[in-house]
Amino acid sequence: MNAARDACRVNGEPGTVAGVDDRGLRYGDGVFETLAIVGHQPQLWTRHLDRLETGCRRLGLPVPSRGRWQADLAALALPRFGTLRLTVTRGEGGRGYAPPTAPQTTTITQCGAVPERPDDWWQTGVAVRFCETRLAVQPALAGIKHLNRLEQVLARGEWSDPGIAEGVMEAMDGRIIEATSSNLIIDQGDHLCAPAIDDCGVDGVMQAWLLDRAAASGASVKRTAVRRADLWQARGVMLVNSLIGLWPVRTLAGHPLPRSPWADRLQDELVRAGTALLPAVVRS
């Protein structure tokens, strides 16, 4: 039995290989989602599918049926804890950038292990730096999780210190957008803030879920332009994504930051809901 093939489905069949002419490989022509698996179930499932389908429509890709994904999940027999990646490409389309008029999409459903990260990153916070690599402005791609992650690859290649958990990325004009693999929530004292992503960046699923929880608890929530000065003056900065849940930022570019009271409140929400791979959840 091939464990790698058993943990992956390509177009509904066991396998790990897409065609060499697949436009996802050639051009990054597609979208993807990464989800936490907790209790054998993919977390924030509907929100992730909503974003994936938005990305498909934005790129002019046929939207896979939700039944297609459900069939893959049933065949994979999800582990108690792990990760799940859903990928849609435009499929094979020959040479040249012009997309085929009737694309036959490739769908890939793949399980992975729980990422290994220090427990204290959840508990005491993380060290974060600024990245020199900037995010290009492209409103047509803003918000979606498309396959071309070269900006993030270049940014993540800027450091090798294992003590640095993440790097904050800016747009070409210096606006704070996101981190290399996570989104930001900034505590401004009288409100919680998420950076605007009108022309670049990813619309974070976990970010939206946590901000909804905060709003339900009485917080004022805004999405607006953010710059470095806003981070230095904040009551706290948090990194969030669908796997890590929430990491408080302990230091930014070597300077200590305060811990937002919302960090503990939102982490408690994550533990109760079991929607991310926090140590308290994985060891339950």
Side-chain angles (χ1 to χ4, degrees):
M1 180 178 294
N2 187 318
R5 290 178 61 85
D6 290 343
C8 186
R9 310 280 290 183
V10 179
N11 293 327
E13 300 294 334
T16 58
V17 178
V20 295
D21 290 329
D22 192 280
R23 292 177 62 92
L25 174 62
R26 283 184 176 271
Y27 310 122
D29 189 359
V31 293
F32 75 103
E33 295 289 326
T34 304
L35 300 78
I37 300 171
V38 177
H40 306 284
Q41 297 297 320
Q43 300 302 305
L44 304 181
W45 174 250
T46 299
R47 289 175 182 252
H48 277 286
L49 286 187
D50 286 346
R51 185 174 66 179
L52 181 137
E53 291 169 0
T54 296
C56 286
R57 286 189 287 268
R58 190 86 64 82
L59 296 181
L61 302 175
V63 176
S65 73
R66 298 199 174 190
R68 155 85 289 147
W69 302 118
Q70 293 287 1
D72 280 355
L73 298 190
L76 287 171
L78 301 184
R80 185 180 179 199
F81 298 108
T83 63
L84 179 70
R85 176 169 166 139
L86 310 178
T87 303
V88 183
T89 82
R90 202 178 300 271
E92 297 189 4
R95 297 183 182 277
Y97 294 137
T101 56
Q104 300 295 312
T105 56
T106 299
T107 61
I108 303 171
T109 307
Q110 187 173 16
C111 287
V114 175
E116 293 186 10
R117 298 184 174 104
D119 286 0
D120 62 358
W121 285 4
W122 286 269
Q123 298 158 356
T124 62
V126 294
V128 176
R129 55 165 285 161
F130 288 107
C131 295
E132 295 180 11
T133 304
R134 298 290 180 100
L135 291 165
V137 168
Q138 178 46 268
L141 299 177
I144 67 174
K145 198 78 175 283
H146 57 79
L147 287 175
N148 194 317
R149 299 285 101 193
L150 285 178
E151 292 167 331
Q152 288 74 17
V153 169
L154 291 175
R156 185 57 186 87
E158 292 178 18
W159 80 93
S160 58
D161 180 354
I164 303 293
E166 260 283 33
V168 172
M169 300 189 70
E170 297 160 296
M172 298 303 292
D173 64 359
R175 286 173 293 125
I176 302 293
I177 302 297
E178 60 195 8
T180 60
S181 61
S182 57
N183 294 102
L184 297 168
I185 295 177
I186 302 114
D187 183 351
Q188 298 286 28
D190 61 343
H191 68 276
L192 294 178
C193 173
I197 54 167
D198 299 325
D199 53 17
C200 61
V202 175
D203 191 4
V205 166
M206 178 58 76
Q207 180 189 55
W209 187 87
L210 288 170
L211 289 174
D212 285 349
R213 291 299 181 278
S217 298
S220 174
V221 173
K222 299 179 181 179
R223 187 177 284 277
T224 187
V226 175
R227 295 189 178 269
R228 291 194 184 196
D230 298 305
L231 301 186
W232 298 129
Q233 297 164 11
R235 190 169 67 157
V237 177
M238 295 157 274
L239 296 178
V240 300
N241 75 24
S242 291
L243 300 186
I244 67 173
L246 183 152
W247 289 339
V249 177
R250 185 181 73 253
T251 64
L252 178 59
H255 300 282
L257 292 183
R259 183 186 181 98
S260 167
W262 279 102
D264 296 320
R265 294 177 67 175
L266 293 176
Q267 282 189 335
D268 287 345
E269 288 275 357
L270 286 163
V271 171
R272 283 194 293 270
T275 58
L277 296 169
L278 277 71
V281 173
V282 174
R283 293 172 183 163
S284 63

